[in-house]
Structure formats: structure tokens, C-alpha cells
Amino acid sequence: MISAKAPGKLYIAGEYAVVETGNPAIIVALDQFVTVTIEKSERYGSIVSKQYQDSSVQWQRRGDEIVLDNRDNTFNYILSAIRLTEEYAQSMGCKMETYHLKVNSDLDSPDGKKYGLGSSAAVTVATINALCQFYKLPLTKDRLFKLAAIAHLDVQGNGSLGDIAASVYGGWIAYRSFDREWLKSARYEEKLTNLIDLKWPALEIRQLTPPNNLKLLIGWTGSPASTSRLVDKVAFKKGQQLKGYQNFLQASAQCLTDIVTGFETSNLKRIMAGISHNRQLLQKLSKLTQVDIETPLLTKMCNIAEHHHAAAKTSGAGGGDCGIMITDKTEVDDQLVSELQDNGVQLLPLAVHMVTDLD
Ligand code: PMV
Ligand code: MG
């Protein structure tokens, strides 16, 4: 039996700006996993998933038409990952097989709620990794990232793919998104096997080392949010607010440069100042686009954290899901933890996961 696992992720800084080509973000991989196992079968193949059995479909009305939105249905990412890996396997001359593929995820809460730790990215990475092993295809982290990015983009279409980078590389990473318009044309021009060995314009993935005294706390709001829809909303509004949006992109890039310098010089104070600044920039973006990024509970979490000398902000698209807090390990007080809990923010006891080899 073949098995592969991929970690979930959390955005630390640079959200929304990272959706634009070449803009930076910092992301961490967490020790919560999606595991995919594959077993050869004879007549029938199957795809079985404990967590992703939801057969309901979301739709929106556009005038007289009903438009389906499949982007939040994890099953579609599994199918896209299988389709793409089979295309890769065929182009490498493999004989196609029939198999049972099983998916199991820690990334959703026991009662089926989403934490927002990137299950669609992790499921895509784990499926491709497992299938490449099954077909005995050569795989590096770089190739796995590129295959997973293509498969994920085929379904969601509007993300930065930073969550895929975190899931493949692990640890703390500085990420710059590649030019997705270029990739679209490149897919028509190049064979898949060549495409995944090319240098992708603007793509940058770099490992960061946090200072020894850095402590990351994760606060879960208990309410799920749809990243793809929040990103759509910001994309729609940015067209009407171009100047303000350009300012946001520039300020975010500057802020991220500052935070990365904080990592490179082991300067926790500088990292924390950058996190607080990035929170303010996202608040401004929220005002500019009228998209609800920092919900009242996330505001409460940030204020409590700041009161206890931690830096805090929303994580990812916001609108619910998780917030992050960064503080000095030697100064974490129990009161911060109990105050958060009293106010309805649940601390997730997760640690950053390092990927040494392909898991
Ligand atoms: O909400 P999350 O954790 O899926 O993060 C989304 C981050 C965005 O920058 C808003 C979108 C993206 O694809 O980078
Ligand atoms: Mg989210």
C-alpha cells in the first residue's frame, strides 16, 4: 500500500497582496495532515474520503441563471489532482492502472467544521505525491509544487498558491506568487513534463528560520470562511479603487521586506512590529473594498493579545477561521490564554511542521 501525507498551513503575513504576481507573503506549515493511501485494484477503482463526503453543491443566482460554485468542495481538488497526475504519468509512458484511493484529514474539526488550515491545498499535494509514488514517477519538491499548483488552479482559479508552497516545503517560508497568466499560455505551448522543469516567472520560495524566542499562537474563531469568495470580492472592488489598491500592494511589500529582515537578523521585536503593521494594512484594505476581513471576534482576539504584549492579526482571507499571535516565548502569560478562551477564541495546540523529505 502506498501512502503520502501533506501538512496544512497558516498565513502569517502578506495576505491578499500575495495574490498579485511577485508579491511576498510568509506562510507556515502545521502539524495537521491530509493522508492519502492508494492500493491497486482489479475491476473497479474508488475514491473514498471520511471527511469529504459532502455531496451538496453551492450555487449563486446570476440573473436568470444558476451558477454552481465548486471551489469549496474538496472532492474537486482530489479529482483534479488525479487527472493531472495521470496526464503526467501518461506523458512519461506509464501503463495506467486501477486503484482504490483513500483520503483522511486532520484539518477539519471533529464535528466537521473547517479550521481554515488549507485542506484543499494539502489534499492536492498529498494526492499527487501518493499517485506519483504509485506510478513510480520521479518527484522533487519543485515538481510536486508545480503539479499541485496547476491542479489547484484548475479548480479554484484565483489564489496565490502560497498554501501549496507551505504544504510542499514545510516550516516557515517566504513566498512570491508566480505569474498565473503566463502559466495559462505556457500550458498550451509546453508539454507538462517540460513545463514543470521550467523556471516559472516571479516564483520564489525561501525557507525562513524564526528567532529562538518566537512563539506562535493560533486562535480559532469557530466560524468558517470561504477564501475563494473573499478573494473574488476584493478582486471585484480593486478595479474601482485602483490607486488605493496599488498603495496597499506597495505598503504590504515594504512591510513584508521588514518582517523577513526581522527573521534574517533574529529580531523578534522587528517581526512583531511588522505583524502589527500588516494588521493595519489589512484593516485599510477592508475599508477600501468593504470586505469583512477582521470580524468582531478577530478584533477582540487581536486586542486581547496586544494588551498582553503580543502582536496579532487575522490569518489568510479572514472573515472567520483563525487569527495568529506572535509573542516572546519567555513572556507568554496564562492570563492571555484564559482571557482568549473566556471570549470565545479557541487556541489550537498546533506546532510548525518541518518537511525534511517528501513525506
Ligand atoms: O484564508 P486562507 O488561509 O485560505 O488564506 C488566503 C490568503 C489570500 O492571500 C487571501 C489568498 C491567497 O490565495 O493567497
Ligand atoms: Mg481562511
Side-chain angles (χ1 to χ4, degrees):
M1 181 134 70
I2 302 275
S3 153
K5 62 177 189 167
K9 65 85 191 63
L10 209 55
Y11 272 84
I12 299 297
E15 298 89 342
Y16 288 102
V18 68
V19 174
E20 303 293 342
T21 300
N23 258 281
I26 296 174
I27 313 153
V28 289
L30 296 173
D31 59 351
Q32 294 283 292
F33 303 91
V34 167
T35 307
V36 170
T37 54
I38 301 181
E39 205 172 5
K40 194 167 160 13
S41 65
E42 291 307 322
R43 285 176 50 204
Y44 300 102
S46 64
I47 303 169
V48 180
S49 155
K50 262 195 198 147
Q51 287 77 18
Y52 310 127
Q53 300 189 345
D54 192 2
S55 53
S56 59
V57 173
Q58 303 224 347
W59 56 270
Q60 281 181 316
R61 179 161 296 288
R62 239 175 250 157
D64 290 339
E65 266 184 73
I66 283 174
V67 181
L68 301 187
D69 190 342
N70 280 327
R71 297 174 301 178
D72 285 333
N73 184 340
T74 312
F75 228 89
N76 287 301
Y77 295 90
I78 303 173
L79 293 176
S80 181
I82 293 174
R83 210 175 294 128
L84 191 78
T85 316
E86 292 234 325
E87 183 188 331
Y88 178 45
Q90 282 163 29
S91 65
M92 299 287 280
C94 295
K95 179 177 155 278
M96 293 294 98
E97 304 275 6
T98 308
Y99 45 85
H100 297 302
L101 187 146
K102 285 201 185 93
V103 182
N104 199 358
S105 164
D106 316 325
L107 297 177
D108 303 85
S109 81
D111 59 5
K113 277 196 185 162
K114 273 181 186 258
Y115 290 127
L117 300 178
S119 39
S120 62
V123 91
T124 308
V125 172
T127 303
I128 292 176
N129 190 352
L131 257 186
C132 281
Q133 286 181 48
F134 181 74
Y135 282 120
K136 300 193 170 57
L137 293 167
L139 200 59
T140 58
K141 284 182 182 168
D142 182 55
R143 280 188 185 163
L144 178 57
F145 168 79
K146 286 172 175 161
L147 287 168
I150 296 171
H152 196 279
L153 210 50
D154 280 347
V155 182
Q156 187 184 319
N158 67 358
S160 67
L161 288 315
D163 44 5
I164 299 271
S167 191
V168 171
Y169 286 85
W172 293 75
I173 62 160
Y175 175 78
R176 283 179 198 270
S177 57
F178 58 90
D179 185 345
R180 277 132 294 158
E181 284 308 312
W182 170 85
L183 181 64
K184 256 189 216 157
S185 2
R187 279 193 77 184
Y188 291 112
E189 296 294 324
E190 280 288 348
K191 281 195 346 213
L192 184 60
T193 39
N194 292 342
L195 183 56
I196 58 172
D197 285 334
L198 283 182
K199 188 173 157 16
W200 286 12
L203 173 64
E204 211 181 284
I205 302 169
R206 220 151 40 91
Q207 217 92 36
L208 296 173
T209 307
N212 284 334
N213 54 342
L214 183 151
K215 170 94 183 154
L216 170 68
L217 296 172
I218 304 162
W220 183 45
T221 61
S223 48
S226 166
T227 300
S228 53
R229 265 182 259 159
L230 287 158
V231 172
D232 274 351
K233 281 189 190 167
V234 170
F236 172 64
K237 287 284 183 163
K238 82 178 186 199
Q240 300 162 322
Q241 303 283 355
L242 268 185
K243 184 86 190 87
Y245 184 70
Q246 288 301 337
N247 290 342
F248 163 72
L249 292 183
Q250 245 181 24
S252 178
Q254 182 57 52
C255 177
L256 267 284
T257 303
D258 237 39
I259 301 177
V260 169
T261 308
F263 275 86
E264 285 164 352
T265 55
S266 259
N267 184 339
L268 180 61
K269 287 272 173 303
R270 190 161 183 173
I271 295 172
M272 287 171 62
I275 294 293
S276 302
H277 185 209
N278 197 205
R279 177 187 177 201
Q280 289 165 10
L281 297 178
L282 287 165
Q283 286 172 332
K284 258 196 182 160
L285 177 73
S286 170
K287 254 206 191 123
L288 186 79
T289 55
Q290 283 150 5
V291 172
D292 196 14
I293 298 174
E294 194 175 300
T295 60
L297 188 53
L298 284 166
T299 303
K300 206 179 258 175
M301 183 208 85
C302 292
N303 293 346
I304 294 170
E306 280 174 8
H307 187 74
H308 290 272
H309 313 293
K313 61 184 277 297
T314 52
S315 169
D321 286 344
C322 294
I324 56 135
M325 293 159 274
I326 289 186
T327 182
D328 192 322
K329 227 177 228 163
T330 55
E331 287 172 17
V332 184
D333 57 66
D334 294 340
Q335 250 197 323
L336 166 60
V337 175
S338 61
E339 230 178 282
L340 288 169
Q341 262 149 8
D342 291 348
N343 282 278
V345 177
Q346 193 180 321
L347 281 180
L348 300 182
L350 307 178
V352 174
H353 175 72
M354 308 302 290
V355 176
T356 40
D357 208 342
L358 288 175
D359 279 319

